[in-house]
């Protein structure tokens, strides 16, 4: 997981982001050198240089032709109509000294302008994966270090749909290119609207953990970036586990069923109704436990029938009561959206909350 930090963040938020990123061994941060709200772009570069020198942090930064021109010590070498950047704009910026290891090119660049920036800086180039076309990608073939980096969307109602996100992402994954996308932060919100900064609109009011898992389920191999502030510690731990292939499910458990806490492998077979937890068959039945009106999606149901007695089912669809199962727990409501992402053979980690 990566983090982002902006000049519009308070000093407290900046320090928290850097501390959390470095605590996870992350050294790459995302930032911007062209947001209109940035009061002092040159001062921001000095901050980046200091953090790079002290902590070894490296930066991918959003840039625009106008933003680079503002950063030029002389203001010379303004970009031309194609978005190409003259030597005067890049001279004296000392991007390497500020820890910049890649540039994300968005507004104001055409294909020739992107090639010009790549040639002038020698840095990898990230394209806006939310808007780039297949034709543009093909025209940039041969440029070293191309990366796809999705947008985040401050205005509610403007984030991407899941289908569109998948289609755009495939432009990069099918070419074997690195791909990154954003999830909103959890502790603080960022300017300009303070309404969350998701890539997918459906994530705007969700937690970073479920959003990160959803991004990776839709597009395998995508790298997740926290768009604002930091992630609460438990969610950060769960995201790291998910990246290693183990999905954490917070659950409430019935009395006497604490033994269900821990990591379980789901049986390979998929029924469309439930996943069975390997190694639970033969467990002693707890006392009589009241069930709900149905064996609801997200509930943990223990089999009581003959040789299958003790086996625990994690319900992936609701089913009528059959009198042959005991309800022994359920996935906590904020995380129940993850149940539909489970596949046979996957490891899940049940954590009591």
């Amino acid at each position: 997981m990566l983090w982002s930090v902006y000049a519009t963040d308070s000093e407290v938020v900046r320090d928290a982001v850097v501390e959390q990123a470095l605590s996870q061994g992350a050294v790459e941060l995302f930032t911007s050198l062209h947001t209109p709200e940035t009061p002092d772009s040159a001062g921001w570069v000095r901050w980046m240089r200091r953090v790079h020198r002290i902590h070894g942090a490296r930066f991918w930064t959003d840039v625009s032709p106008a933003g680079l021109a503002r950063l030029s010590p002389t203001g010379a070498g303004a970009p031309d109509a194609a978005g190409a950047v003259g030597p005067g704009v890049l001279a004296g910026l000392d991007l390497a000294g500020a820890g910049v290891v890649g540039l994300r090119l968005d507004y104001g660049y055409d294909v020739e302008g992107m090639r010009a920036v790549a040639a002038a800086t020698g840095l990898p180039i990230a394209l806006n994966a939310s808007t780039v076309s297949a034709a543009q990608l093909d025209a940039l073939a041969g440029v070293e270090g191309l990366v796809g980096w999705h947008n985040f969307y401050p205005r509610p109602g403007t984030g991407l749909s899941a289908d569109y996100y998948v289609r755009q992402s495939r432009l990069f994954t099918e070419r074997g290119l690195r791909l990154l996308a954003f999830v909103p932060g959890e502790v603080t919100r960022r300017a300009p609207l303070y309404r969350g900064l998701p890539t997918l609109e459906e994530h705007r009011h969700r937690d970073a953990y479920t959003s990160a898992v959803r991004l990776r389920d839709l597009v395998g191999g995508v790298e997740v970036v926290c768009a604002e502030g930091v992630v609460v510690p438990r969610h950060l731990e769960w995201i790291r586990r998910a990246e290693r292939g183990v999905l954490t499910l917070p659950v409430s458990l019935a009395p006497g069923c604490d033994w269900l806490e821990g990591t379980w492998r789901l049986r390979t077979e998929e029924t469309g109704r439930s996943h069975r937890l390997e190694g639970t068959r033969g467990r002693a039945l707890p006392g009589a436990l009241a069930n709900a009106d149905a064996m609801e999606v997200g509930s943990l149901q223990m089999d009581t029938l003959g040789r299958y007695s003790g086996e625990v089912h994690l319900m992936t669809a609701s089913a009528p009561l059959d009198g042959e199962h005991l309800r022994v727990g359920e996935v906590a409501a904020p995380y129940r959206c993850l149940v539909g992402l489970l596949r046979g053979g996957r490891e899940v980690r049940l954590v009591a909350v």
Side-chain angles (χ1 to χ4, degrees):
M1 186 171 184
L2 284 76
W3 281 258
S4 64
V5 61
Y6 273 45
T8 52
D9 293 336
S10 70
E11 188 171 343
V12 171
V13 170
R14 295 179 200 172
D15 290 345
V17 169
V18 172
E19 179 180 356
Q20 186 169 80
L22 295 177
S23 75
Q24 299 300 305
V27 292
E28 287 187 347
L29 299 170
F30 180 80
T31 190
S32 178
L33 293 176
H34 82 94
T35 53
E37 294 82 9
T38 301
D40 179 12
S41 296
W44 183 238
V45 174
R46 289 194 294 273
W47 181 89
M48 292 165 59
R49 186 177 294 116
R50 184 170 66 253
V51 172
H52 172 61
R53 184 180 68 252
I54 295 173
H55 300 292
R58 302 193 295 268
F59 295 91
W60 281 82
T61 182
D62 229 351
V63 295
S64 68
L68 285 176
R70 286 197 302 271
L71 283 167
S72 171
T74 64
D80 61 23
V85 178
V89 175
L90 295 164
L93 292 185
D94 188 21
L95 297 175
V100 176
V101 293
L103 301 174
R104 183 175 181 272
L105 307 182
D106 194 355
Y107 303 106
Y109 292 99
D110 62 10
V111 169
E112 292 308 313
M114 293 176 187
R115 283 188 171 277
V117 172
T121 62
L123 292 172
I125 299 299
L127 308 178
N128 185 341
S130 300
T131 61
V132 73
S133 68
Q136 288 173 316
L137 269 177
D138 290 340
L140 289 166
V143 174
E144 292 292 330
L146 281 183
V147 173
W149 208 309
H150 277 285
N151 253 357
F152 55 66
Y153 293 89
R155 177 66 169 93
T158 63
L160 303 185
S161 70
D163 288 345
Y164 182 80
Y165 162 74
V166 170
R167 291 200 306 273
Q168 285 296 116
S169 296
R170 284 176 179 162
L171 296 178
F172 292 86
T173 58
E174 290 176 353
R175 290 169 169 80
L177 301 176
R178 186 184 181 193
L179 179 69
L180 302 97
F182 290 98
V183 296
E186 299 181 311
V187 179
T188 58
R189 297 301 192 197
R190 177 177 290 149
L193 299 180
Y194 303 95
R195 295 293 187 272
L197 299 174
T199 288
L200 294 189
E201 184 59 35
E202 66 185 58
H203 293 165
R204 189 171 302 277
H205 304 298
R206 288 192 178 275
D207 62 90
Y209 169 56
T210 57
S211 298
V213 171
R214 172 70 168 157
L215 282 179
R216 291 172 61 86
D217 181 76
L218 288 169
V219 179
V222 66
E223 297 178 55
V224 176
V225 187
C226 180
E228 54 197 338
V230 296
V231 179
V232 297
R234 68 178 183 278
H235 286 163
L236 182 56
E237 177 198 346
W238 299 349
I239 289 170
R240 298 282 288 185
R241 287 182 181 271
E243 290 173 343
R244 297 194 295 268
V246 179
L247 188 65
T248 299
L249 294 177
V251 293
S252 59
L253 298 173
C257 296
D258 295 346
W259 58 269
L260 276 167
E261 279 201 85
T263 301
W264 301 91
R265 184 175 296 278
L266 305 178
R267 284 183 62 117
T268 302
E269 306 95 327
E270 297 187 8
T271 67
R273 160 178 154 143
S274 68
H275 286 292
R276 292 182 284 172
L277 276 56
E278 287 186 355
T280 54
R281 187 181 299 184
R283 291 275 183 167
L285 299 180
L289 299 174
N291 223 311
D293 294 333
M295 294 194 293
E296 298 170 331
V297 61
S299 66
L300 293 163
Q301 302 282 343
M302 178 178 275
D303 203 326
T304 66
L305 190 60
R307 64 186 293 182
Y308 300 96
S309 181
E311 189 166 57
V312 175
H313 293 244
L314 173 54
M315 302 301 295
T316 57
S318 293
L321 295 180
D322 58 13
E324 296 165 349
H325 291 85
L326 300 175
R327 188 186 187 98
V328 294
E330 60 185 6
V331 177
Y335 309 98
R336 211 165 291 159
C337 60
L338 300 178
V339 170
L341 307 183
L342 296 175
R343 301 291 181 268
R346 183 165 192 173
E347 285 188 315
V348 296
R349 178 171 169 264
L350 304 184
V351 177
V353 292

